[in-house]
Amino acid sequence: MTEQTIDRRKFLKLTGFSGAALTLGFYFPAQGKAKLAEAPLYNFYADIPSGVELNAFIIIEKTGRITLINPRPDMGQGSFQAVPSLLAEELEVNLDQVNIVQSDGNKKFGSQLSGGSSSVRTSWLPLRKAGAAAREMLVRAAANRWKVAEADCYANQGKVFEKKSGKSLGYGELVEEASKLEAPKDPKLKLPKDYKLLGKALPRQDIPAKVDGKTIFGLDVKLPGMLYASIERSPVIHGKVLKVDDTKAKQVKGVKQVLLSERPMPHKTTHGVAVIADSYYAALQGRKALTITWDNSEFDKISTEAYFTNLRELAKTEGVLFKEKGKVEDGLNAAVKKLEAQYETPFMAHAPMEPENAVASVKGDTCEIWAPVQAPDWAVDQVAKYLNIKPENVKIHVTFLGGGFGRKAYYDYLLEAVNLSKQIQAPVKLLWTREDDTAQGPFRPGMLSAMRGGLDKEGKVVAFEHKAVGASIQQQVFKAPMAGKADEWVMECIGPEESPYAFASAKYSYVLAETEIPIVWWRSVYCSTSAFGQECFVDELAHAAGKDPMDFRLAMFANAPRFKNVLQLLAEKTDYKTKLPAGKARGIAIVKSFGSICAHAVTVTKQNGKLTIEKVVSVIDCGQHVNPDNVKAQTEGNIVMGLTAAIKDGITFENGQAKQSNFNTYRVLRIHEMPAVDIHIVQNTEEPGGVGEPGLPPIAPALANAVFNLTGKRIRKLPFNLDEV
C-alpha cells in the first residue's frame, strides 16, 4: 500500500461519480503512477467573459452563448439562480441555456449586497426591465434584417421567430446588430399569467454542484505560491499585544514568519499575532505554540451583565420619540387595566458553517482577492480605502458563501488578509477558526424592550408603548450621530406602518446604549429582538382583556387586510378553533419585515414533565416571488435559527472575554429537536417582499406565547431552557 493524502473535496468528487464505486471497491492509484481523475471545479468566481454586452447584466457571444451576471452573492439563500431568473424570464431563455457569473464589484452593476432580504425585491423591476430591453433589441434587429414589423416577430428560448414563415435567428446571430440599437427606456414587461420561470418550483442549478463537491467556497480557494495564515487574538476583546515569544512557533515545520497583524473594525482597530506557513495545519500549530503577553487593562471590565444592568436603568429614562399616535399618557390614565413588562434578547454570534476566510494578493498598488463576501462593491471600496489605492486597482473574485447572516458584509477578516499579504508580498490565505468566529464577533446587539399598555372596560387597547433600549449598529459601524435621534433600524417592524394594530394611542421610542462589544446586523437585524417584546406583549394584553389572542389581533387588523388574511389562513391551516388535547398548547405571532408578512403558530407539548416543540405552522405573504421552494426553504431556515436563538445560548461576556467558543457552548438546534414544519405561501400579485429573513422575527414570540398558554409562565428573557419551564 502507498500512503497518500487526499482532501475532503477531492474525495467527494471521486466517490460521487457512481453509487457502485463504494460497493465494488474504489481504487486510488498511487501518486507517480497515475493521476487522480477529477471533474472540473464549479468555477463560480470565473472572470466575466468577453462578448457583446446588451447591458451590464447580459452578455451574448456570436456562438449563441449567453452569460447573465448575478449581482447578489449566494450564501445559501438561492440568489445564484433567483436573481438571474428575473433577467431570463424577460429575455425569453431557459436557465439551462445560460451561464451565470457573479459580479465583481464594478459600479456598473449597482448595489451588489446580499442582505436585508433585498436581492429579489430590489432587483424585481430593474433586472426584468434589463431582460425585456435586451429582448426588444434582439427582436428589432431580427425585424430589421427580415424587413418586417417588430409586431410580426417574437422571442422564445434564445431565438427570434417570424410569425408567418416560422423562420428564426439565434440571439448570437443578432447580438452585434442589436447592440447598435438604442435600448428602450420603458420595455414591455410580461404579465404574471405569462411567466414561465417566476413563481415556478424549478430545481436550483447550484444544488448538485454543492452536493458532489464541485462548488468553490472561500475555504476551497488555492493559488500557486499561496501561504496560509492563522491569527492569535486576545481572548479579552480588544486586548493589546505587549510581548511575543515566537521561538517554539518558528520551530514548527512549515512555519515561515510570525507577524503582527491588524484587525480594522469600523469602531476600533486591534492587533494580533499571525503565523504564516506553507499549510494551514502548520500555521495553526505554530499559532498554538506562541507565547503572548496581553495588555487587557482597558477591556477586562466588559461584561454583558453590566450591559443589561445599564439597559434596565436606561429604560427608566424618557427616550427619543420615533412615532406617536394620540397621547399614550392620557390613554394610560384612562385605562381600567394597566400592564408593564420588559423583554430581553441577548447578544448572538452568526456562526455560519463556513467561518471567515479570504485570500489576498497585494502587489504594488494593486490587490486581488478571492473571498466569500456579501457585498463585493463594499469590499472593493473598503480595500481601496485601506490600501489608499484606486478602486479600479482592486479585483475581487466572489465565491459561494457557506452562510453569512450579515457577518460577511463586515470586512475585518478581509482587511486582515490584505494587511498580511502586503507585509509578506505574497498571496496569503487567512482562515478564522470556529472559536475565532464565535468569540471575536461582531455580534447581534443585546436589546431590551420596555412595554406599557392599557385596556378599557371593553378590553380594547387604549394605550400602547414600546421603548427599545440598546446599542446602535448605525452608530458603531457607520459612525452615524445618534445623539437625540431614534435609530430607525432599531424600530424596524414595530412601528405603525409595519405593525398596524389599531391602538387608540401608541408611542414608539428609543434609548441609545453604547458598548465596546463589536456589533453588526444579524439575520433580520433588530426585528429578531424588537418583535419578541412586541408580539409577546400583544399576547399579554389579549389575556388581560380575556380574549383569544387570534381574535384579539384580527379585531385590531380591521384596516390591514393583508395582515388579517395571513392570520385567517393561519387559523384555517391550524384548525385553530378546535380545542387541543390536554398537555398541548399553541401560540401565535405575526410580524412584517423586509416587505413581507409572516405568522407562525407554534404547538408545544408537555409529557412526563418534559416540554417539547411539536409543530410550527407558518403563513408568509411575500407578494410575487421567484421560486416557492426557495420561499419555503428560507422560512424553514429562519425557524431553525429563530428557535436556536430562543432556547439555546446567547453570547455572554465576563471580564472582557466571551464565555462561548464552539458548538459545545454555543449550541445549535439538532435534527432530533426540530419540530414538524408546515409552510403556506399566500398567492397574490403584490410587490415582492423579502424571504431570507421575515420568517425569523415571529418564531420566538410565538414559542413564548405557546409556553404561556400551556404552563402559565411568561417568558420575557431569551434564551430560556425548555427543560426548566
Side-chain angles (χ1 to χ4, degrees):
M1 295 181 66
T2 303
E3 183 179 339
Q4 60 180 300
T5 301
I6 183 167
D7 64 29
R8 177 189 65 84
R9 190 159 294 276
K10 187 171 288 187
F11 176 80
L12 282 173
K13 286 183 286 182
L14 286 165
T15 57
F17 293 143
S18 170
L22 293 177
T23 305
L24 300 175
F26 203 83
Y27 175 62
F28 295 101
Q31 290 180 352
K33 295 182 178 179
K35 290 185 177 181
L36 294 171
E38 61 177 286
L41 291 176
Y42 187 71
N43 193 4
F44 188 58
Y45 58 83
D47 286 334
I48 294 172
S50 60
V52 180
E53 285 191 16
L54 287 182
N55 55 54
F57 302 97
I58 299 172
I59 301 169
I60 301 177
E61 300 170 43
K62 291 181 181 180
T63 60
R65 184 173 185 252
I66 301 169
T67 296
L68 303 182
I69 308 301
N70 170 36
R72 306 296 178 121
D74 194 304
M75 51 184 166
Q77 84 279 33
S79 61
F80 167 74
Q81 180 164 309
V83 175
S85 292
L86 302 172
L87 294 163
E89 179 68 74
E90 299 290 350
L91 186 60
E92 288 291 2
V93 292
N94 294 328
L95 290 170
D96 58 7
Q97 294 179 278
V98 302
N99 173 48
I100 299 173
V101 175
Q102 174 62 47
S103 65
D104 59 2
N106 192 305
K107 299 298 182 187
K108 70 181 180 180
F109 300 117
S111 173
Q112 293 155 66
L113 168 68
S114 275
S117 299
S118 63
S119 293
V120 168
R121 64 190 177 114
T122 59
S123 303
W124 184 263
L125 283 178
L127 291 194
R128 285 178 61 213
K129 285 183 177 180
R135 181 194 71 230
E136 289 188 3
M137 292 163 72
L138 290 160
V139 168
R140 194 183 313 154
N144 290 345
R145 187 183 293 190
W146 291 326
K147 294 181 171 51
V148 298
E150 290 179 47
D152 293 331
C153 305
Y154 69 94
N156 187 41
Q157 295 193 358
K159 295 181 179 181
V160 178
F161 294 84
E162 203 262 326
K163 293 178 182 178
K164 291 181 181 179
S165 67
K167 60 185 177 182
S168 66
L169 289 168
Y171 285 176
E173 300 173 86
L174 296 166
V175 66
E176 277 203 2
E177 296 164 63
S179 67
K180 297 172 184 177
L181 301 173
E182 184 178 353
K185 295 180 180 178
D186 192 22
K188 185 178 180 181
L189 300 178
K190 296 166 75 171
L191 297 174
K193 66 181 180 62
D194 297 322
Y195 291 160
K196 298 174 182 176
L197 304 177
L198 303 183
K200 308 294 192 269
L202 300 176
R204 274 175 51 179
Q205 295 174 313
D206 56 312
I207 298 300
K210 289 177 176 175
V211 172
D212 68 15
K214 294 175 186 173
T215 298
I216 295 292
F217 291 90
L219 288 174
D220 298 310
V221 174
K222 294 180 181 178
L223 300 179
M226 180 181 78
L227 296 173
Y228 293 80
S230 186
I231 299 175
E232 182 70 5
R233 304 170 187 84
S234 173
V236 171
I237 200 79
H238 309 321
K240 301 175 182 178
V241 179
L242 276 184
K243 186 170 64 174
V244 181
D245 182 348
D246 59 7
T247 306
K248 292 181 180 179
K250 288 182 175 179
Q251 292 172 357
V252 174
K253 185 180 178 181
V255 169
K256 303 295 185 184
Q257 297 184 58
V258 177
L259 304 169
L260 189 69
S261 66
E262 187 171 84
R263 182 190 180 192
M265 292 178 285
H267 72 299
K268 189 180 295 291
T269 293
T270 62
H271 296 86
V273 180
V275 176
I276 310 296
D278 58 14
S279 71
Y280 175 60
Y281 179 79
L284 189 60
Q285 296 308 306
R287 172 183 171 181
K288 291 176 181 178
L290 291 169
T291 300
I292 304 174
T293 303
W294 302 97
D295 177 6
N296 301 318
S297 57
E298 290 183 49
F299 309 107
D300 57 6
K301 300 296 188 294
I302 294 174
S303 79
T304 45
E305 182 180 353
Y307 174 81
F308 278 101
T309 298
N310 183 43
L311 294 196
R312 295 176 200 119
E313 287 300 311
L314 289 173
K316 299 173 185 177
T317 63
E318 178 61 23
V320 180
L321 183 66
F322 175 66
K323 296 273 178 75
E324 187 171 22
K325 172 189 174 183
K327 297 294 182 182
V328 166
E329 293 301 331
D330 291 346
L332 287 170
N333 290 333
V336 298
K337 190 175 288 188
K338 302 175 187 177
L339 285 79
E340 289 191 28
Q342 290 187 357
Y343 290 84
E344 294 182 11
T345 50
F347 288 85
M348 297 293 296
H350 301 76
M353 292 309 296
E354 177 196 33
E356 291 69 55
N357 64 90
V359 176
S361 179
V362 178
K363 296 179 180 178
D365 64 350
T366 66
C367 180
E368 193 164 4
I369 296 161
W370 295 258
V373 297
Q374 286 183 229
D377 48 337
W378 292 11
V380 166
D381 285 345
Q382 290 193 32
V383 169
K385 183 178 179 181
Y386 180 71
L387 291 175
N388 194 26
I389 62 177
K390 297 176 181 179
E392 53 265 34
N393 287 3
V394 179
K395 183 177 180 61
I396 187 165
H397 308 270
V398 183
T399 65
F400 273 102
L401 290 70
F405 314 117
R407 174 61 180 95
K408 290 173 184 169
Y410 186 99
Y411 293 132
D412 54 339
Y413 67 98
L414 189 61
L415 298 182
E416 281 183 323
V418 168
N419 171 266
L420 293 175
S421 179
K422 184 178 181 180
Q423 289 192 63
I424 66 175
Q425 289 296 295
V428 61
K429 182 173 187 174
L430 170 67
L431 298 96
W432 283 42
T433 65
R434 173 65 55 200
E435 289 78 8
D436 295 334
D437 171 73
T438 304
Q440 291 291 328
F443 309 99
R444 181 188 79 172
M447 298 294 293
L448 181 146
S449 290
M451 315 297 301
R452 292 197 301 166
L455 300 165
D456 66 13
K457 61 182 180 181
E458 296 176 351
K460 294 181 179 179
V461 181
V462 293
F464 182 90
E465 181 182 16
H466 189 154
K467 184 189 300 181
V469 187
S472 168
I473 296 168
Q474 289 203 72
Q475 182 195 54
Q476 191 184 101
V477 177
F478 295 98
K479 297 182 172 57
M482 298 310 300
K485 293 178 63 177
D487 189 330
E488 64 272 16
W489 291 9
V490 176
M491 310 311 292
E492 285 176 326
C493 41
I494 62 174
E497 287 80 18
E498 292 185 311
S499 186
Y501 287 112
F503 303 131
S505 65
K507 181 180 180 181
Y508 308 90
S509 59
Y510 170 60
V511 183
L512 172 67
E514 298 190 17
T515 180
E516 287 283 355
I517 298 171
I519 59 171
V520 78
W521 40 69
W522 185 90
R523 194 173 189 174
S524 78
V525 200
Y526 287 101
C527 294
S528 68
T529 60
S530 300
F532 176 60
Q534 182 99 344
E535 282 296 293
C536 284
F537 195 65
V538 167
D539 243 54
E540 290 204 47
L541 290 168
H543 286 285
K547 297 181 180 181
D548 176 83
M550 178 72 80
D551 295 338
F552 189 70
R553 286 176 169 83
L554 285 170
M556 287 192 290
F557 285 143
N559 297 317
R562 288 182 72 180
F563 282 79
K564 194 170 183 177
N565 181 53
V566 167
L567 283 180
Q568 288 172 334
L569 185 56
L570 186 68
E572 175 192 325
K573 297 301 181 181
T574 56
D575 194 16
Y576 187 85
K577 291 300 181 181
T578 299
K579 187 177 180 180
L580 292 172
K584 290 188 179 184
R586 183 186 293 120
I588 63 169
I590 182 169
V591 179
K592 181 181 181 183
S593 60
F594 308 99
S596 296
I597 304 165
C598 185
H600 295 309
V602 176
T603 300
V604 294
T605 182
K606 196 165 191 177
Q607 292 182 331
N608 301 320
K610 184 175 177 61
L611 185 68
T612 57
I613 306 167
E614 183 179 275
K615 188 173 185 179
V616 178
V617 179
S618 306
V619 175
I620 181 167
D621 178 355
C622 57
Q624 295 185 70
H625 49 273
V626 173
N627 190 329
D629 284 350
N630 238 30
V631 177
K632 289 183 178 180
Q634 287 302 291
T635 304
E636 289 166 351
N638 275 306
I639 290 168
V640 174
M641 198 164 177
L643 290 177
T644 294
I647 64 173
K648 293 299 180 180
D649 305 292
I651 291 292
T652 54
F653 275 82
E654 191 174 292
N655 299 322
Q657 187 170 346
K659 298 177 70 175
Q660 293 71 34
S661 60
N662 207 316
F663 288 132
N664 61 325
T665 49
Y666 190 70
R667 300 166 297 166
V668 297
L669 204 69
R670 301 289 179 165
I671 195 165
H672 70 276
E673 300 171 295
M674 185 64 189
V677 174
D678 185 17
I679 297 168
H680 303 273
I681 304 170
V682 175
Q683 301 298 321
N684 58 36
T685 56
E686 298 283 351
E687 289 184 7
V691 299
E693 295 163 282
L696 197 148
I699 192 67
L703 172 61
N705 292 337
V707 169
F708 175 80
N709 291 335
L710 182 62
T711 67
K713 297 178 181 178
R714 182 60 70 180
I715 304 297
R716 296 196 180 97
K717 184 177 180 179
L718 298 180
F720 69 100
N721 190 335
L722 283 175
D723 295 333
E724 295 177 359
V725 177

